[in-house]
């Protein structure tokens, strides 16, 4: 470098250093001004109603900078740099006597107001905490982790391997499977028989059992493409979207209420559920599916219908758990941001990014600054779920109709005169209630035993509901829970130890630095960054998104993912059993347009998927978890599949889409888990005969027909459900009114059939429930059971009375276990105990002794392990 250039560089460096020093000195002077002049005003006049040590009046905190910027119920208290637009200044000037602040104590002097104006004009200086040393300094092991861990590496393009038994492989996927088995000196088991295969694929693709006619048709179809024709028919059926939409709803932690502390319903959540089912049935490309859910409001739309569909998709970000009883708005907002980061990172990337909220991730190379780079995107996004925080609220206090996404096509439903009168009446009613509640008068009991404040509250809530019916688009079905661009767009600061009020350095909005996504677009400073984030996530060069997606599909067809920890691809997760196959599938998935249906079709047509379930001791000892796929692993039916299968076999399942959820009728007020609202929803679920995916799913209120069989956790991303075997499941089949109702329906269906003998009816029952014919031993034993059962009752008494009398005399209890034979083992109807519960529950009313006998036999089939498992 020439001497002149060196001199110029030195001068520039000197200027830069001087400017930085001046800026630092200016900032320090502003902070000193705040500490000496501003904070004393806030402490003396505001803290007693608007600080962390109180229940902040109006939801506003003035002891927290972000609390002032975000504001309370009336909106932002301060607009940095503009005192004339700042609500705080308006209130302390007392221009409106009804809205003056402070309400009690001495008013601010003109000099004190001038101090506040100057502070706002200068940019709202606030002292920063001492920044922990780890912030901004990447851990030394991060680069090593980035370089070594398999999940961060770019997708490879492996070639299908050569295999010794080339005829066994039906496509390239089989070659990867067979090559791994041959390398271990292993051979796969024989293929599944036709009946087993049709039962397997029907459940896997639709969540429903095959009919006897479907089984026979497949067994009799000798064409080489018989199975592919069956698969294509199932993929084209609307039941495919209901089954595979449920898989995504698990991942999306779908629920129809906020969850803990104060459980507020989400009355419009069912629209997101229907969006998911429709998108799966239409095979919306998976990358597009993700972009719609993360940034649907920012995507172009050809018409109102498409716009509304995309707005509904953003319910993915809005329908999470929310602590509406959180008294501090800043904490409420940052907790919601954290929930969104956790949902997106686990569902799309299988990473636990939220672990970096308080400190650098303990195991994965995710620094705390990466977390807040994402947090800036979501804090620039309004979570329009329709709820707000309020500690100790009641009625509609938690409901904010303005915080819902309004759909296209909305029109006003009342005249300005009507609205003005309603608002005036509401203001009078609210004032009356505010004045009476909590006072000695309000706590007195009226002659009818009710507190005298009750009529005031009811009048206020009635008028509030009436006003909402005109002003709230949700009342007209024209709103959804979703997200939209925030009123304030910008980067956010690191929160020291994750605490919302402890402010650290500002982090530019951006993406994870854990791995590289070449050609990623930077965040547009004028927008939240959600659209750019959606594109970054779905880039073909993102190493995780496609891998995670195909791994989820593999698990749903084979029982275990190629990476068994489907929600965690980090250092503490599992490693792939077939890494080359995982990348091969991911690359093919991208290349073929991110089509889930095409991927499902290709995997079900593999030889590996069509293997039998035999488990030779030698193979089992070498690979007990079947990670090498030497057989097909049986699985227990999910809670939804069990309920739907019972309804199908009883001939009672309504296969039409169910439409709106019963939760649609609930107001957005606190719902007690044992209260009348919850009971009404539970009753609706108990009486429903629609598919289980359409049952109401309030958090904390699980439909009784699902609760015994490990229903999904609605709090976190759940790519893999638990599958337990516990005594309560057997007791459910024994004592459940639902099971007995359907068992009776099938019994009467069998008795009313055209079958000429009991043997034919028994064969029909086995075919409907288990998808096979009974063995001769099962046929004989069932016939004896039915005869003995009928003969055990005297003529003249009803069957139910005799059951109760017989058990009362013998001292039998209702606690016996039902038949639990493993799949393939003969079912014994005698293993089902006759329970006195039958005599007490009115909904189950057999017509005669024969109906009771056949009902008990059907219960035995439902209670068998063979019914509960898919081979």
């Amino acid at each position: 470098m020439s001497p002149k250039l060196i001199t110029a560089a030195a001068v520039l460096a000197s200027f830069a250093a001087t400017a930085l020093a001046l800026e630092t000195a200016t900032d320090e002077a502003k902070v000193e001004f705040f500490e000496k002049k501003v904070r004393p005003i806030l402490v003396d006049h505001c803290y007693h109603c608007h600080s962390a040590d109180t229940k902040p009046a109006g939801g506003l905190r003035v002891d927290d900078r972000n609390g002032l910027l975000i504001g309370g119920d009336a909106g932002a208290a301060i607009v940095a740099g503009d005192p004339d637009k700042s609500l705080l200044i308006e209130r302390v000037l007392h221009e409106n006597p009804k809205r003056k602040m402070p309400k009690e104590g001495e008013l601010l002097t003109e000099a004190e107001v001038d101090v506040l104006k100057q502070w706002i004009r200068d940019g709202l200086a606030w002292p920063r905490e001492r920044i922990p040393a780890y912030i901004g300094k990447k851990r030394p092991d991060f680069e090593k982790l980035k370089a070594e861990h398999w999940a961060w590496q770019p997708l490879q393009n492996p070639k299908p391997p050569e295999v010794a038994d080339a005829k066994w492989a039906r496509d390239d996927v089989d070659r990867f499977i067979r090559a791994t088995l041959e390398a271990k000196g292993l051979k796969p088991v024989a293929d599944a028989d036709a009946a087993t295969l049709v039962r397997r694929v029907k459940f896997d693709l639709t969540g429903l059992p095959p009919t006897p006619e479907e089984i026979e048709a497949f067994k009799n179809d000798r064409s080489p493409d018989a199975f592919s024709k069956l698969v294509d028919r199932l993929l084209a059926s609307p039941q495919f979207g209901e089954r595979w939409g449920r898989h995504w709803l698990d991942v999306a932690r779908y629920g129809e209420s906020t969850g803990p502390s104060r459980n507020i319903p989400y009355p419009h959540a069912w629209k997101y559920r229907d969006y998911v089912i429709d998108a799966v049935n239409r095979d919306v490309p998976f990358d597009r599916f993700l972009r719609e859910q993360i940034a649907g409001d920012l995507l172009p739309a050809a018409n109102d219908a498409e716009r509304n569909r995309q707005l509904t998709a953003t319910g993915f970000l809005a329908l999470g758990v929310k602590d509406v009883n959180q008294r501090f708005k800043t904490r409420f907002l940052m907790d919601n941001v954290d929930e969104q980061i956790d949902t997106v990172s686990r569902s799309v990337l299988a990473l636990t990014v939220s672990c970096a909220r308080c400190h650098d991730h303990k195991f994965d190379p995710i620094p705390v600054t990466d977390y807040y780079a994402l947090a800036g995107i979501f804090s620039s996004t309004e979570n329009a779920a329709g709820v707000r925080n309020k500690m100790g609220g009641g009625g509609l206090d938690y409901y904010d109709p303005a915080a819902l996404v309004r759909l296209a096509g909305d029109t006003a439903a009342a005249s300005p005169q009507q609205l003005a009168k309603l608002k005036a009446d509401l203001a009078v009613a609210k004032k009356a209630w505010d004045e009476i509640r909590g006072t000695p008068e309000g706590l007195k009991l009226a002659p009818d035993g009710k507190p005298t404040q009750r009529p005031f509250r009811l009048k206020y809530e009635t008028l509030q509901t009436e006003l909402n019916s005109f002003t709230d688009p949700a009342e007209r079905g024209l709103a959804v829970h979703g997200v939209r661009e925030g009123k304030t767009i910008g980067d956010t600061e690191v929160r020291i130890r994750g605490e919302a009020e402890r402010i650290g350095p500002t982090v530019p909005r951006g993406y994870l630095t854990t791995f590289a996504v070449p050609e990623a677009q930077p965040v547009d400073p004028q927008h939240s960054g959600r659209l750019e984030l959606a594109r970054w996530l779905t880039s073909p060069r993102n190493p995780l998104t496609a891998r995670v997606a195909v791994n989820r599909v593999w698990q749903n067809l084979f029982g275990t993912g190629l990476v068994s920890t489907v929600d965690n691809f980090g250092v503490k997760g599992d490693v792939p059993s077939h890494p080359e196959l995982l990348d091969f599938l991911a690359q093919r998935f991208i290349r073929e347009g991110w089509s889930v249906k095409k991927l499902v079709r290709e995997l079900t047509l593999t030889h590996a998927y069509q293997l039998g379930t035999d488990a030779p001791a030698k193979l089992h000892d070498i690979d007990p978890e079947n990670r090498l796929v030497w057989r097909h692993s049986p699985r227990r039916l999910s809670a939804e599949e069990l309920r739907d299968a019972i309804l199908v076999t009883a001939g009672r399942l309504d296969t039409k889409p169910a439409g709106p959820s019963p939760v649609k009728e609930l107001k957005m007020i606190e719902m007690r888990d044992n209260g009348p609202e919850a009971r009404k929803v539970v009753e609706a679920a108990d009486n429903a005969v629609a598919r289980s995916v359409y049952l109401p799913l309030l958090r904390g209120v699980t439909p009784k027909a699902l609760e015994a069989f490990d229903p999904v956790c609605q709090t976190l991303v759940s790519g893999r459900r638990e599958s337990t075997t516990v005594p309560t499941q057997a007791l459910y089949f024994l004592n459940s009114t639902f099971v007995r109702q359907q068992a009776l329906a099938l019994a009467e269906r069998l008795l009313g059939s055209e079958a000429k003998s009991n043997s034919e009816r028994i064969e029909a029952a086995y075919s409907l429930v288990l998808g096979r014919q009974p063995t001769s031993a099962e046929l004989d034993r069932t016939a004896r059971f039915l005869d003995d059962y009928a003969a055990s009752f005297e003529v003249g008494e009803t069957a139910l009375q005799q059951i109760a009398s017989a058990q009362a005399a013998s001292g039998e209890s209702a606690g016996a276990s039902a038949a639990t034979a493993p799949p393939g083992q003969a079912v014994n109807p005698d293993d089902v105990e006759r329970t006195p519960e039958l005599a007490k529950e009115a909904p189950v009313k057999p017509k005669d002794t024969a109906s009771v006998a056949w009902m008990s036999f059907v219960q035995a089939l439902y209670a068998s392990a063979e019914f509960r498992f898919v081979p």
Side-chain angles (χ1 to χ4, degrees):
M1 184 180 291
S2 69
K4 289 185 178 180
L5 288 176
I6 293 174
T7 302
V11 171
L12 287 172
S14 176
F15 277 135
T18 302
L20 180 61
L22 288 172
E23 183 181 350
T24 302
T26 302
D27 289 345
E28 289 177 354
K30 290 178 180 178
V31 170
E32 184 178 1
F33 178 81
F34 169 80
E35 293 290 15
K36 287 185 176 182
K37 301 286 188 179
V38 179
R39 195 189 291 275
I41 297 173
L42 300 178
V43 170
D44 292 343
H45 296 282
C46 309
Y47 273 26
H48 60 286
C49 291
H50 298 283
S51 69
D53 296 328
T54 67
K55 178 183 175 182
L60 173 67
R61 280 185 61 182
V62 303
D63 60 338
D64 168 39
R65 185 176 188 272
N66 281 325
L68 286 162
L69 290 170
I70 294 169
D73 297 342
I78 287 178
V79 177
D82 195 340
D84 294 336
K85 293 182 179 178
S86 296
L87 188 60
L88 178 69
I89 299 301
E90 176 192 322
R91 295 294 177 89
V92 299
L93 283 175
H94 316 137
E95 294 174 351
N96 184 340
K98 294 182 179 180
R99 304 176 72 187
K100 70 182 181 69
M101 287 291 167
K103 286 187 176 181
E104 300 175 359
E106 296 183 5
L107 302 179
L108 271 67
T109 65
E110 185 176 345
E112 288 174 321
V113 173
D114 287 341
V115 167
L116 293 179
K117 286 183 175 180
Q118 183 63 45
W119 173 57
I120 295 170
R121 197 176 293 116
D122 288 343
L124 210 67
W126 198 276
R128 292 187 179 272
E129 292 200 32
R130 184 176 64 83
I131 308 303
Y134 68 86
I135 293 180
K137 294 183 179 179
K138 294 182 180 178
R139 285 186 2 209
D141 62 334
F142 272 8
E143 293 305 318
K144 182 181 179 183
L145 285 173
K146 288 182 186 181
E148 293 181 352
H149 187 58
W150 68 270
W152 327 135
Q153 310 313 311
L155 284 172
Q156 302 301 306
N157 284 288
K159 292 183 179 180
E162 297 293 330
V163 293
D165 189 351
K167 291 183 179 179
W168 185 89
R170 293 176 184 165
D171 84 336
D172 289 337
V173 173
D174 286 331
R175 293 181 179 87
F176 284 100
I177 296 295
R178 188 66 193 235
T180 303
L181 289 171
E182 289 177 353
K184 300 285 185 180
L186 305 177
K187 288 185 178 181
V189 300
D191 296 351
D193 61 65
T196 295
L197 191 56
V198 70
R199 183 174 173 83
R200 177 188 302 169
V201 77
K202 182 78 184 290
F203 269 117
D204 282 352
L205 268 57
T206 70
L208 299 175
T211 64
E213 294 76 16
E214 286 177 310
I215 296 173
E216 287 305 308
F218 180 67
K219 289 167 67 174
N220 294 330
D221 189 344
R222 303 299 180 184
S223 61
D225 61 346
F227 188 62
S228 64
K229 288 189 297 184
L230 172 61
V231 169
D232 288 340
R233 179 173 63 81
L234 298 177
L235 288 171
S237 71
Q239 286 73 44
F240 176 79
E242 291 166 338
R243 170 63 176 156
W244 283 73
R246 181 63 259 180
H247 288 319
W248 181 255
L249 293 173
D250 283 9
V251 171
R253 50 68 175 114
Y254 173 73
E256 294 187 71
S257 63
T258 59
S261 66
R262 303 293 172 107
N263 202 3
I264 311 299
Y266 289 138
H268 321 292
W270 62 273
K271 296 179 181 179
Y272 171 76
R273 174 203 69 195
D274 285 1
Y275 155 81
V276 170
I277 293 171
D278 174 69
V280 174
N281 270 331
R282 293 197 295 115
D283 200 22
V284 173
F286 189 72
D287 58 339
R288 171 76 186 190
F289 182 61
L290 292 178
R291 287 196 294 272
E292 288 178 347
Q293 293 178 83
I294 294 169
D297 57 315
L298 303 176
L299 296 172
N303 49 48
D304 283 355
E306 185 177 358
R307 166 64 58 201
N308 289 342
R309 181 179 168 280
Q310 292 171 186
L311 293 175
T312 303
T314 66
F316 171 69
L317 294 175
L319 292 173
V321 172
K322 291 178 178 62
D323 183 7
V324 296
N325 201 43
Q326 167 59 254
R327 60 177 173 163
F328 300 136
K329 190 170 184 178
T330 304
R331 295 182 190 177
F332 178 68
L333 294 176
M334 291 309 295
D335 285 348
N336 291 340
V337 165
D338 181 71
E339 199 275 340
Q340 290 172 326
I341 291 173
D342 188 57
T343 297
V344 171
S345 63
R346 285 180 190 260
S347 64
V348 182
L349 302 174
L351 293 180
T352 54
V353 175
S354 277
C355 293
R357 178 181 184 176
C358 306
H359 46 69
D360 290 349
H361 199 291
K362 293 288 187 183
F363 309 110
D364 298 334
I366 305 173
V368 68
T369 47
D370 277 15
Y371 175 92
Y372 286 98
L374 293 173
I377 293 174
F378 291 109
S379 63
S380 297
T381 299
E382 183 181 350
N383 192 328
V387 294
R388 59 187 164 213
N389 68 303
K390 184 178 180 66
M391 186 176 181
L396 291 168
D397 283 349
Y398 298 110
Y399 177 39
D400 183 2
L404 284 170
V405 174
R406 185 169 295 208
L407 297 176
D410 190 15
T411 57
S415 68
Q417 293 80 7
Q418 286 176 300
L419 292 177
K421 184 179 186 307
L422 267 175
K423 289 178 179 177
D425 292 346
L426 180 65
V428 172
K430 185 177 188 306
K431 181 180 179 182
W433 183 36
D434 286 344
E435 289 176 352
I436 200 72
R437 61 176 170 173
T439 65
E441 283 297 316
L443 296 176
K444 285 182 179 179
L445 292 180
D448 61 357
K450 296 173 184 177
T452 55
Q453 72 178 32
R454 178 177 172 80
F456 293 90
R457 178 173 63 83
L458 291 177
K459 184 174 181 180
Y460 166 65
E461 289 180 357
T462 300
L463 287 168
Q464 192 176 39
T465 300
E466 188 176 351
L467 179 63
N468 283 340
S469 69
F470 290 117
T471 61
D472 183 356
E475 294 288 333
R476 302 185 295 283
L478 293 169
V480 291
H481 311 282
V483 300
R484 55 183 167 233
E485 293 291 83
K487 296 180 178 66
T488 303
I489 302 292
D491 302 329
T492 195
E493 309 94 340
V494 171
R495 303 312 203 270
I496 309 300
R497 298 299 174 194
E499 297 177 26
E501 299 86 357
R502 299 182 63 189
I503 304 301
T506 299
V507 179
R509 280 167 288 159
Y511 321 116
L512 297 181
T513 59
T514 311
F515 49 83
V517 179
E519 302 169 7
Q521 296 177 333
V523 171
D524 181 345
Q526 304 303 315
H527 297 95
S528 65
R530 274 185 297 117
L531 183 56
E532 294 90 336
L533 174 63
R535 289 169 176 161
W536 178 84
L537 289 167
T538 57
S539 167
R541 304 185 73 177
N542 186 309
L544 283 177
T545 303
R547 279 179 176 144
V548 172
V550 300
N551 190 60
R552 294 192 189 283
V553 172
W554 185 277
Q555 176 190 261
N556 293 332
L557 292 173
F558 288 88
T560 302
L562 296 170
V563 181
S564 64
T565 52
V566 292
D567 297 327
N568 187 1
F569 275 33
V571 172
K572 289 297 179 179
D574 196 6
V575 297
S577 58
H578 299 75
E580 293 83 7
L581 175 56
L582 181 65
D583 277 15
F584 173 84
L585 289 172
Q587 290 282 26
R588 190 169 72 176
F589 185 51
I590 295 169
R591 191 168 58 250
E592 295 181 346
W594 301 77
S595 168
V596 172
K597 279 193 176 182
K598 191 173 291 187
L599 175 61
V600 170
R601 184 181 192 275
E602 290 165 345
L603 293 182
T604 52
L605 295 181
T606 61
H607 200 162
Y609 177 79
Q610 299 172 47
L611 291 173
T613 58
D614 293 341
K618 178 183 177 182
L619 291 172
H620 185 272
D621 290 344
I622 294 172
D623 180 22
E625 295 182 351
N626 191 32
R627 294 302 308 281
L628 302 180
V629 195
W630 47 270
R631 71 166 184 152
H632 193 88
S633 298
R635 68 172 178 87
R636 200 202 69 199
L637 295 175
S638 67
E640 291 88 350
E641 288 174 301
L642 281 167
R643 176 184 172 275
D644 291 352
I646 290 173
L647 284 170
V648 165
T649 55
R652 299 195 64 214
L653 182 70
D654 184 352
T655 58
K656 297 189 300 293
S661 166
V663 179
K664 174 180 181 288
E665 305 303 322
L666 299 183
K667 301 295 182 185
M668 293 183 73
I669 61 176
E670 181 183 359
M671 183 201 66
R672 290 169 293 144
D673 291 351
N674 59 350
E677 300 88 358
R679 282 198 298 273
K680 186 175 180 181
V681 171
V682 168
E683 288 171 3
D686 288 347
N687 295 327
V689 290
R691 290 206 63 177
S692 299
V693 71
Y694 297 114
L695 293 181
L697 290 175
L698 294 162
R699 288 185 168 100
V701 186
T702 304
K704 287 188 288 187
L706 305 181
E707 62 185 352
F709 295 95
D710 311 299
V712 68
C713 169
Q714 298 167 278
T715 304
L716 296 171
V717 170
S718 300
R720 181 171 187 171
R721 295 192 189 185
E722 295 293 324
S723 182
T724 61
T725 301
V726 293
T728 51
Q729 294 166 352
L731 292 173
Y732 170 80
F733 280 109
L734 181 69
N735 297 320
S736 163
T737 301
F738 169 78
V739 173
R740 292 200 301 274
Q741 284 174 333
Q742 311 320 316
L744 176 59
L746 178 52
E748 294 179 344
R749 180 182 175 189
L750 294 168
L751 289 170
S753 70
E754 296 179 356
K756 297 179 181 179
S757 66
N758 274 359
S759 293
E760 290 179 348
R761 294 187 183 98
I762 295 168
E763 290 172 348
Y766 269 82
S767 182
L768 281 165
V769 177
L770 302 181
R772 66 172 175 87
Q773 290 296 300
T775 65
S776 58
E778 288 171 326
L779 195 61
D780 291 343
R781 186 164 57 238
T782 302
R784 288 198 307 272
F785 169 82
L786 293 169
D787 291 341
D788 292 347
Y789 201 112
S792 65
F793 299 105
E794 297 178 4
V795 177
E797 278 189 286
T798 68
L800 294 180
Q801 289 172 331
Q802 291 200 29
I803 293 172
S805 301
Q807 291 200 318
S810 64
E812 289 179 337
S813 70
S817 63
T820 55
Q825 183 172 320
V827 176
N828 187 353
D830 294 318
D831 289 339
V832 177
E833 182 179 357
R834 285 160 277 183
T835 166
E837 290 292 318
L838 281 170
K840 295 191 294 185
E841 297 200 20
V844 184
K845 295 181 178 179
K847 293 183 292 188
D848 49 35
T849 302
S851 295
V852 178
W854 279 88
M855 180 179 72
S856 295
F857 160 57
V858 171
Q859 259 191 286
L861 293 181
Y862 285 153
S864 67
E866 187 174 354
F867 175 72
R868 299 197 306 271
F869 281 80
V870 181

